[in-house]
Structures are given as structure tokens and as C-alpha cells.
Amino acid sequence: RIAPMKHVSYTSRDGLTIHGYLTLPLGKEPKNLPVVIHPHGGPWVRDGWGFDPQVQFLANRGLAVLQMNFRGSTGYGRAFWEAGFKEWGRSMQDDVSDGVLWLINQGIADPKRVGIYGASYGGYAVLAGLAFTPDLYACGVDYVGVSNIFTLLETIPPYWELGRQMLYEQIGDPEKDKELLKAASPVFHADRITAPLFVAQGANDPRVKKAESDQIVEALRSRGIEVEYMVKENEGHGFRNEENRFDFYRAMERFLATHLGSLSEQH
């Protein structure tokens, strides 16, 4: 029942080799499939080969899943990691977009049925993808994702104070790099989002505050864009209570079945 996960690589538009993992649903020809692009959180970590329950859940529903270690990911040397500094929404996002284009060019992805799902920084990549490359995606699922880099940096907790300068180096300084961060924050470009969005958020999240999700949901609903918003009062940065996890994955399954035509009955 487990779908195989294969290592893949493609070349970014500026010549970097981007490594990733492609999981194809069992019993399906790798042609014209509905696909979920699944960028990792962090962002200064990496995806690895191995069992991933979320990926297997999606593959079991007839979806191909692409995970990519975009620039800024760790495990590929210092230069590759530093290539992501101050590149949120820019070349880091281009690496995600180039993965979509690679899948389409390979004939694996149905260009009309590509969704994007991620948590934390991955949720940011969902919002950035829908805002900056609206033609690529049919829908998005943002799980505890960042919509406004300014409010993310403002909510750095006191015990992280020593890391503040490091984050300013890696993401940008809200004073010196104001224009850069405004250009990269999806909330300021919500007028460009046209695809249906599902947002999940914990009310007590200390890292990505509920205000991050409130801002983007409000901006989209004010324009009549379809947004499904799940807030769990007893959760933080990611759902830990089993009943909430059931709720989230059931809702995501329905959402993707509606917008990507995935087979939600393939339990």
C-alpha cells in the first residue's frame, strides 16, 4: 500500500541543481496526474528520503507529491544554504515554481490540477506561490503559515533575542530591508490571489501568531475569494491533539478532492 518515494533533481532558472523527492500514487501511470507540491517548513532544514505519513496519505488519495530542497535548505553545503538568505518570495520561491514547471514539462503533472500544501515556512511558500505565481496553482493549503514577514519578526519571543540578528541576516531587517520584506509578504499582494485557499491555524501558536492567518483570510474574503478557515483553540504551532488532526486531514482531503479531482474514496 505504500507508494515509492524517488529521488529527483532539476535545474533552477539560474542554474542551481535542486534535489527533491517525488512520490507517485500506486497503480497510476506517471502522466497527467493531479499533484501536490509540498515545500518543507524551517526553512533552514531539509526533506529526506523515508516514510512520511502526510505524503503517503496524499499518494493514497491518487495524488503525486513533489518535495524539493529549495535553496536555503541545509545538507547541501554552506553556499547553498546562504543562497537563500533574504530570498523569501524570490529565488527560494522560484525553486519551488521551477519544480512545478519541471513536472509539467516531464508530462507527469496535469497543469490544471497542481495544488500546493505546506506548514510554517511551507505555509508561507503556499501563500507566496498563490500570490506571485497565480497561474501555476489550482488551490493551496496553508497550515500555520506566515503571511506578513514584518509581524513574524515583531513577534520574536524574548528568549530568542540573541537570534534576532541572525534572523535579520537570513530573512531581512524590517528597517533596512523594508521594501524587500514588503515585496515578499503575501498579505500585501493578496489582491493577486485567485485560487481557493484552505487555512489551518492554532489559536495559541507562539511562533506564527493567529494574526498571520487572520490577515490573509480577511484580505481574501473581502474580495470574495473562497477561503476555508480552521482555527483550533487548544493548539499551538501545528496540531497535536488527535481529534484536531483528524479534522484537519479530513478537511484537507475534501478540499483537494474538490479542487484537484483527487480520489477521496481510496481509503
Side-chain angles (χ1 to χ4, degrees), residues 141-182:
V141 179
D142 159 27
Y143 185 32
V144 300
V146 176
S147 69
N148 183 339
I149 298 173
F150 293 105
T151 50
L152 172 76
L153 294 173
E154 280 166 16
T155 54
I156 293 171
Y159 63 90
W160 277 28
E161 196 55 42
L162 292 174
R164 182 183 293 274
Q165 284 309 315
M166 186 174 81
L167 288 173
Y168 285 3
E169 287 283 319
Q170 293 176 299
I171 304 173
D173 185 308
E175 295 296 326
K176 297 175 192 163
D177 301 308
K178 189 173 182 182
E179 291 309 310
L180 177 85
L181 298 185
K182 188 169 185 185

Side-chain angles (χ1 to χ4, degrees), residues 11-264:
T11 304
S12 71
R13 62 193 69 184
D14 60 352
L16 278 184
T17 298
I18 306 299
H19 295 277
Y21 303 95
L22 178 62
T23 303
L24 297 172
L26 286 176
K28 299 276 183 183
E29 281 287 306
K31 289 177 186 170
N32 224 33
L33 292 171
V35 172
V36 171
I37 305 299
H38 186 36
H40 63 70
W44 307 290
V45 295
R46 59 160 290 172
D47 278 323
W49 186 92
F51 176 73
D52 182 319
Q54 295 190 101
V55 171
Q56 291 299 325
F57 169 77
L58 294 167
N60 181 258
R61 271 51 178 179
L63 295 154
V65 183
L66 178 65
Q67 301 162 274
M68 70 284 289
N69 288 319
F70 42 80
R71 73 192 68 200
S73 301
T74 52
Y76 298 94
R78 181 168 185 139
F80 190 84
W81 172 59
E82 288 187 344
F85 285 16
K86 298 188 181 179
E87 291 293 336
W88 284 37
R90 292 150 56 98
S91 61
M92 287 172 78
Q93 194 68 33
D94 290 343
D95 293 344
V96 177
S97 303
D98 291 344
V100 180
L101 298 173
W102 174 77
L103 275 180
I104 291 169
N105 291 336
Q106 296 282 313
I108 296 167
D110 176 347
K112 292 187 169 61
R113 292 192 294 161
V114 178
I116 182 167
Y117 159 57
S120 199
Y121 175 85
Y124 165 82
V126 169
L127 298 175
L130 297 187
F132 305 142
T133 52
D135 297 337
L136 276 187
Y137 300 108
C139 64
V141 179
D142 159 27
Y143 185 32
V144 300
V146 176
S147 69
N148 183 339
I149 298 173
F150 293 105
T151 50
L152 172 76
L153 294 173
E154 280 166 16
T155 54
I156 293 171
Y159 63 90
W160 277 28
E161 196 55 42
L162 292 174
R164 182 183 293 274
Q165 284 309 315
M166 186 174 81
L167 288 173
Y168 285 3
E169 287 283 319
Q170 293 176 299
I171 304 173
D173 185 308
E175 295 296 326
K176 297 175 192 163
D177 301 308
K178 189 173 182 182
E179 291 309 310
L180 177 85
L181 298 185
K182 188 169 185 185
S185 294
V187 74
F188 300 116
H189 310 279
D191 58 322
R192 296 174 61 183
I193 296 178
T194 54
L197 178 65
F198 172 34
V199 178
Q201 176 70 44
N204 300 315
D205 191 332
R207 190 62 250 111
V208 176
K209 299 277 191 184
K210 181 172 172 284
E212 293 291 327
S213 292
D214 288 346
Q215 288 174 77
I216 200 78
V217 169
E218 198 175 307
L220 291 178
R221 283 185 174 165
S222 68
R223 286 177 42 240
I225 301 294
E226 179 192 338
V227 188
E228 187 175 335
Y229 192 21
M230 177 181 287
V231 179
K232 295 296 185 183
E233 296 300 325
N234 59 341
E235 294 288 5
H237 194 51
F239 297 173
R240 295 289 176 265
N241 294 290
E242 202 168 64
E243 67 277 11
N244 292 337
R245 292 164 79 111
F246 286 154
D247 276 356
F248 170 67
Y249 289 112
R250 283 181 185 130
M252 178 163 74
E253 179 182 33
R254 281 194 306 271
F255 181 83
L256 295 176
T258 300
H259 300 292
L260 298 181
S262 53
L263 302 175
S264 60

